[in-house]
Amino acid sequence: MKISKKNLTPAQYLVFGYFIIIMLGSILLMLPVATTDGQGLGAIDAVFTATSATCVTGLIVVNTKEAFTHFGSTVIMLLIQIGGLGIMSMSTLFAFIIGKKISLKERLIIQEDLNQYQISGMVRLVQYLLGFTFAIEGTAAVILFFRLVEDYPAGRAIYLAIFHAVSAFNNAGFDLFGNSLENFTGDITINFVIMALIILGGIGFGVMVEAYNRVRFKKSTLQTKIVLVITLALLIFGFIVFFVLEYDNTLAGLPLLDKILGAMFLSVTPRTAGFNTVATGALKQSSLFIIIILMFIGASPGSTGGGIKTTTFGVMLVTLKNMITGKEDMEVYNRRFEKKIVYEAFTITMLAAGLVVLVTTLLLVIEDFQFIDVLFETVSAFGTVGLSTGITGELSDISRVLITITMFAGRVGPLTLALAFGERVRKGKYHYPTEKVMVG
């Protein structure tokens, strides 16, 4: 495949764009000023951390609080913001600042970056995206400041509030407390602010635009309906399951309200956030398996989260229902979607599952960890979640490279990555005869 700047596709622009940001971040994290020991991170750990931040994952090989200086943590925060919003959204912001017009090529890349089907309205969508992001992060930071100033000096409280507002809204999961949010299991303010940021960041900017314009559910787009219904269903399902499974385990000994908060947070964080208020490694294997499923599904298109996306999962559910009921058209909410969408959903799911199986198998060959821990780590990396049972820091260099690649693929998207390095779609000049194949 011959690649030159002039014939790069939008998918290739995105892949190379994220790669460049990660490399720049890695160089900054390798500087002596970035770490508390004055030596900077090693090359592999720097690339791992920069990838985890840019891909808004949150997996760490060193403790963020202890290993990084103010400069280092600020670099991580900026990488999170760039990675969460998307490199094209940030590029558009700078274009707005200097008064540069957005070209058609740039609009196509924005369309790819934000997982949109229509090119019209891309610049307006980015304007909404930037406005929503800074408004939500700013509001959350103010609320977090008034809570954290009770425990920290004002200057430190401001920085912590901003860092965690950015990290939570972008579904990154990086923290500066040293043990995620385990010290705040029963803290209503911290729990609800972080959960709200995670949900808003992972629900998709298109949905937020419709909500801002006060579009009623009945008149909203099919995508918005699927996103809201699937998201709500997964949150309720997760809460019930975790409340039951962990009631006498990680939630044991807590007051009823704290148990409820803990179960709610466990349900929200697999939306690709990576924060935890109870020790992930102490969860039952049944809970870990449910979290793996939730992490694999992930957030919604056009959001700061990863996974195969709620709409992909929704399309597959609709397809399953319609196949069972004998409907030829893929119908839901008095609308139908093209079969091409079904093919895309199937392709994304199979590519994602294939990547998870491959990386999990390689890690099992290389490392000596429990299967559930390795699978959990791999899916967490692909879904850009950042939850871990505690094995990340113990991985060998080759395993860290594999997880780094998985995080990158999860953020860019398996289909986008395949399109970037595959051949461009070409329509055949003729069709072969049709023949039936028995399945099932």
Side-chain angles (χ1 to χ4, degrees):
M1 179 182 62
K2 185 178 179 181
I3 297 177
S4 66
K5 186 175 180 180
K6 291 184 177 180
N7 64 6
L8 284 178
T9 65
Q12 290 167 347
Y13 263 109
L14 285 183
V15 170
F16 291 124
Y18 279 107
F19 178 78
I20 291 171
I21 294 297
I22 289 171
M23 289 301 103
L24 290 175
S26 301
I27 293 172
L28 291 176
L29 294 178
M30 291 171 67
L31 297 176
V33 70
T35 57
T36 53
D37 61 9
Q39 297 181 2
L41 287 182
I44 292 179
D45 287 353
V47 173
F48 186 101
T49 304
T51 303
S52 184
T54 306
C55 298
V56 291
T57 306
L59 288 175
I60 55 173
V61 289
V62 293
N63 189 292
T64 309
K65 175 187 176 182
E66 298 173 358
F68 295 104
T69 60
H70 186 79
F71 173 83
S73 59
T74 300
V75 169
I76 290 174
M77 181 170 62
L78 291 175
L79 290 175
I80 291 171
Q81 190 72 85
I82 294 171
L85 291 180
I87 56 173
M88 285 311 300
S89 298
M90 297 304 293
S91 299
T92 305
L93 172 61
F94 289 114
F96 290 154
I97 294 174
I98 65 176
K100 178 181 177 295
K101 291 186 177 181
I102 310 300
S103 67
L104 177 61
K105 181 75 172 181
E106 291 167 333
R107 292 169 193 261
L108 288 170
I109 302 174
I110 294 172
Q111 179 188 10
E112 183 77 26
D113 200 11
L114 297 182
N115 297 110
Q116 300 297 309
Y117 277 106
Q118 296 180 347
I119 191 174
S120 61
M122 282 299 102
V123 175
R124 178 59 61 86
L125 178 60
V126 171
Q127 290 174 332
Y128 274 121
L129 181 156
L130 295 171
F132 287 145
T133 297
F134 297 132
I136 293 171
E137 289 179 351
T139 302
V142 171
I143 298 173
L144 290 174
F145 165 75
F146 283 111
R147 168 59 188 86
L148 294 173
V149 77
E150 298 175 9
D151 303 323
Y152 297 90
R156 182 61 176 168
I158 292 174
Y159 187 76
L160 288 173
I162 295 173
F163 184 95
H164 291 93
V166 171
S167 183
F169 180 73
N170 290 285
N171 281 218
F174 278 87
D175 76 278
L176 295 178
F177 298 118
N179 60 348
S180 194
L181 302 178
E182 290 182 26
N183 294 336
F184 304 97
T185 304
D187 192 302
I188 294 178
T189 302
I190 296 293
N191 272 263
F192 275 101
V193 170
I194 297 298
M195 284 192 291
L197 286 170
I198 292 169
I199 293 172
L200 289 173
I203 206 167
F205 294 107
V207 176
M208 294 172 66
V209 169
E210 290 195 24
Y212 177 77
N213 291 325
R214 299 181 180 180
V215 178
R216 292 191 300 173
F217 182 82
K218 289 184 177 181
K219 294 186 177 181
S220 60
T221 61
L222 181 58
Q223 172 160 320
T224 293
K225 291 177 180 177
I226 293 176
V227 166
L228 292 177
V229 170
I230 295 296
T231 299
L232 182 61
L234 292 177
L235 290 174
I236 294 174
F237 168 77
F239 167 72
I240 295 173
V241 169
F242 295 133
F243 186 78
V244 173
L245 292 178
E246 297 299 322
Y247 189 89
D248 293 321
N249 187 37
T250 55
L251 302 178
L254 297 176
L256 180 59
L257 178 59
D258 291 2
K259 288 179 184 288
I260 293 174
L261 282 176
M264 288 175 63
F265 203 94
L266 273 171
S267 178
V268 171
T269 196
R271 301 258 59 72
T272 81
F275 289 105
N276 58 282
T277 56
V278 297
T280 306
L283 295 171
K284 293 181 178 179
Q285 288 200 1
S286 53
S287 296
L288 292 176
F289 185 67
I290 295 298
I291 291 177
I292 288 172
I293 295 173
L294 295 176
M295 291 192 300
F296 187 76
I297 296 172
S300 302
S303 71
T304 61
I308 64 170
K309 302 296 188 297
T310 53
T311 47
T312 302
F313 181 63
V315 166
M316 295 181 71
L317 287 180
V318 171
T319 303
L320 176 64
K321 174 181 176 295
N322 286 358
M323 285 293 294
I324 292 175
T325 56
K327 291 183 179 180
E328 183 175 353
D329 290 334
M330 300 300 108
E331 300 173 348
V332 61
Y333 292 116
N334 298 319
R335 293 289 186 273
R336 67 182 180 89
F337 46 81
E338 298 177 354
K339 291 186 178 180
K340 177 185 175 183
I341 306 300
V342 178
Y343 301 151
E344 289 183 356
F346 175 80
T347 302
I348 290 170
T349 303
M350 291 304 296
L351 287 174
L355 176 64
V356 167
V357 170
L358 174 62
V359 174
T360 300
T361 302
L362 292 175
L363 290 179
L364 287 171
V365 172
I366 299 169
E367 307 291 346
D368 187 23
F369 296 121
Q370 294 286 333
F371 169 74
I372 191 70
D373 294 333
V374 173
L375 178 62
F376 191 95
E377 192 84 4
T378 304
V379 177
S380 180
F382 166 75
T384 69
V385 182
L387 290 173
S388 175
T389 57
I391 70 172
T392 313
E394 301 177 32
L395 295 174
S396 62
D397 286 347
I398 184 62
S399 295
R400 293 183 184 189
V401 171
L402 288 172
I403 292 296
T404 300
I405 294 172
T406 306
M407 289 189 291
F408 185 82
R411 178 63 185 95
V412 175
L415 186 57
T416 298
L417 201 60
L419 291 174
F421 293 102
E423 295 293 333
R424 298 185 183 184
V425 178
R426 294 193 299 265
K427 290 186 177 181
K429 296 181 179 179
Y430 51 86
H431 295 281
Y432 290 108
T434 300
E435 187 172 336
K436 292 185 178 180
V437 176
M438 291 169 48
V439 295

